[in-house]
Amino acid sequence: MKLDRRNFMGVSAAMLAAGSARAAGVDADPIKDMIVINALGGLGDPNQPADSLVPQFSPRVLAEAHASGLTAVNITIGYVSGSDDPFVQSVREVAETDAQVRANSRDLMKILTAADISRAKAEGKVGLIYGFQNGAMMGQDTSRVDIFANLGVRIFQLTYNPANQLGDGSMAPGNRGLTPFGREVVARCNAQRVMVDLSHSGEQTCLEAARISKQPISINHTGCRAVTNLPRNKTDAELKLVADRGGFIGIYFMPFLDLSGHARAEHVVAHIDHAVNLCGEDHVGIGTDGTVTQIDDLKAYEAVLAKEIAARQAAGISAKGERPDTYPFVVDLRGPDQFRKLAGLLRAKGYSTARIEKILGGNFLAYAQTIWGA
């Protein structure tokens, strides 16, 4: 593959990141043998202008994904907001992402079962889990759950921040819970053995989904409202009910982890620790809501961010706590070493290697085996 100067520099940086941990010996990398699963994230280059809705997997992105130790990631595909037809856009993005996976089959594989995650680890590939972040593409037709499940979508998040035809999101003022159609969709997801994800949902929507679902549900990227009182974070009642029913909670690397909006690695650890103490060590993981490849020029990015926040606010999809001065990531926990850094911080907190292994991916894998089958 021909590399231009930008990609060459990116690949070189990724190789250095991977090599730094090995410099002192083969076993220096603390996560080398772990399955690392990002329950919501992405594989894209935020330094490149987005010329399509589906990310293009550049040499830098692929090299840094491998260097990070990432085994699999839930990537958002399909409609989230906007004027396009939600169903048509979502079908198109599944097809376009499939084409990208085929074009990069040496590095990537589509995840359909829990066994595929283990196979990705064994083959040195990065697994892509297809997931939605808005159920709007369901229209009023529950059979669309079957269509997308058969296309390989494995995670169905019911709502984004506003309300939709399934239920209320975290920023919907009514906190009405699930609609009758939303209940039908949950039942259809259960029948198709796909994950029901309540990230971004309102509290009543989450509690009702957890109660009526015949299978455990997940909250793949969130924080703990008891630690930081913002709507995008989940209450203890939500977290505990999901865990008590066998579900999964992923903690994100987002500004909502601190009221200042300037979350740091210590805040990620604090939210993980609260979730573990409340829910038990078998139900907590990570869903960073970010990429492995980091932004190179943060000052230049601030102008881009200001426009993005303004657009989100105008579209009515922004969450309380989003501001032009709040990066949508944790500044000191990003880039190809983010998972190693987190492992080190948890170890310093007194977490055992076994517990760290669960949080970095083992718990999501166990949950996936419950929902998708081995």
Side-chain angles (χ1 to χ4, degrees):
M1 181 180 294
K2 184 178 180 181
L3 302 182
D4 59 23
R5 184 177 183 275
R6 177 188 290 271
N7 285 329
F8 176 78
M9 294 296 288
V11 172
S12 298
M15 293 174 66
L16 286 172
S20 61
R22 294 193 294 267
V26 173
D27 297 323
D29 185 350
I31 65 172
K32 178 173 66 72
D33 296 322
M34 296 183 185
I35 286 180
V36 177
I37 305 173
N38 189 351
L40 190 284
L43 283 187
D45 187 347
N47 303 290
Q48 298 290 334
D51 53 4
S52 69
L53 290 173
V54 174
Q56 307 299 299
F57 303 114
S58 70
R60 172 180 177 175
V61 165
L62 294 173
E64 291 187 347
H66 287 304
S68 73
L70 183 67
T71 307
V73 54
N74 166 26
I75 58 169
T76 299
I77 61 172
Y79 178 90
V80 177
S81 66
S83 58
D84 288 346
D85 179 273
F87 180 77
V88 173
Q89 178 183 333
S90 301
V91 171
R92 179 184 298 119
E93 289 191 25
V94 170
E96 291 178 359
T97 306
D98 280 347
Q100 285 290 311
V101 173
R102 288 193 298 271
N104 295 279
S105 59
R106 289 181 299 178
D107 298 286
L108 304 173
M109 65 179 291
K110 183 176 181 178
I111 300 298
L112 299 175
T113 67
D116 286 341
I117 296 176
S118 298
R119 186 160 64 90
K121 176 69 174 179
E123 295 180 6
K125 296 181 180 181
V126 176
L128 300 187
I129 306 165
Y130 291 12
F132 291 149
Q133 280 206 68
N134 190 335
M137 70 286 293
M138 300 303 155
Q140 293 293 334
D141 182 357
T142 57
S143 72
R144 291 183 178 182
V145 173
D146 305 12
I147 292 171
F148 286 113
N150 289 331
L151 289 174
V153 179
R154 286 295 172 262
I155 299 174
F156 283 53
Q157 183 179 295
L158 300 187
T159 74
Y160 197 59
N161 289 327
N164 65 12
Q165 78 275 35
L166 281 72
D168 277 10
S170 62
M171 297 308 299
N175 193 25
R176 299 169 302 165
L178 284 172
T179 66
F181 180 68
R183 290 170 175 263
E184 292 177 14
V185 168
V186 170
R188 199 68 169 242
C189 287
N190 290 164
Q192 287 292 334
R193 301 193 68 83
V194 296
M195 292 182 183
V196 178
D197 181 5
L198 273 296
S199 304
H200 285 269
S201 74
E203 182 179 17
Q204 288 305 314
T205 302
C206 181
L207 292 172
E208 289 180 16
R211 291 185 184 115
I212 69 166
S213 179
K214 294 181 180 179
Q215 296 170 354
I217 68 165
S218 63
I219 309 170
N220 283 5
H221 63 296
T222 191
C224 306
R225 200 176 300 183
V227 179
T228 307
N229 189 14
L230 287 171
R232 267 294 282 116
N233 297 329
K234 291 297 186 182
T235 63
D236 280 1
E238 293 169 272
L239 298 172
K240 186 104 173 36
L241 181 61
V242 168
D244 286 349
R245 291 177 175 255
F248 170 85
I249 294 111
I251 300 299
Y252 48 31
F253 299 3
M254 291 289 282
F256 311 112
L257 298 181
D258 186 67
L259 288 176
S260 72
H262 304 295
R264 300 188 66 80
E266 65 191 78
H267 301 116
V268 176
V269 172
H271 282 257
I272 288 174
D273 198 49
H274 179 83
V276 167
N277 290 332
L278 178 71
C279 302
E281 66 175 31
D282 295 327
H283 300 281
V284 180
I286 53 171
T288 70
D289 206 0
T291 63
V292 169
T293 297
Q294 69 182 32
I295 292 169
D296 296 328
D297 187 341
L298 288 178
K299 293 305 293 183
Y301 170 67
E302 289 172 5
V304 176
L305 176 63
K307 292 180 180 179
E308 180 181 334
I309 295 297
R312 286 174 58 82
Q313 291 173 342
I317 63 171
S318 181
K320 184 178 180 181
E322 292 182 21
R323 303 191 308 269
D325 68 327
T326 61
Y327 296 138
F329 46 79
V330 173
V331 175
D332 59 341
L333 200 59
R334 61 196 183 104
D337 261 347
Q338 60 188 271
F339 306 118
R340 293 181 187 87
K341 289 179 181 177
L342 179 60
L345 291 169
L346 292 174
R347 186 168 290 107
K349 183 79 175 175
Y351 281 32
S352 66
T353 297
R355 176 178 280 190
I356 293 169
E357 189 168 6
K358 288 180 179 182
I359 291 168
L360 287 188
N363 286 338
F364 184 92
L365 180 60
Y367 174 64
Q369 289 169 340
T370 299
I371 306 302
W372 303 335

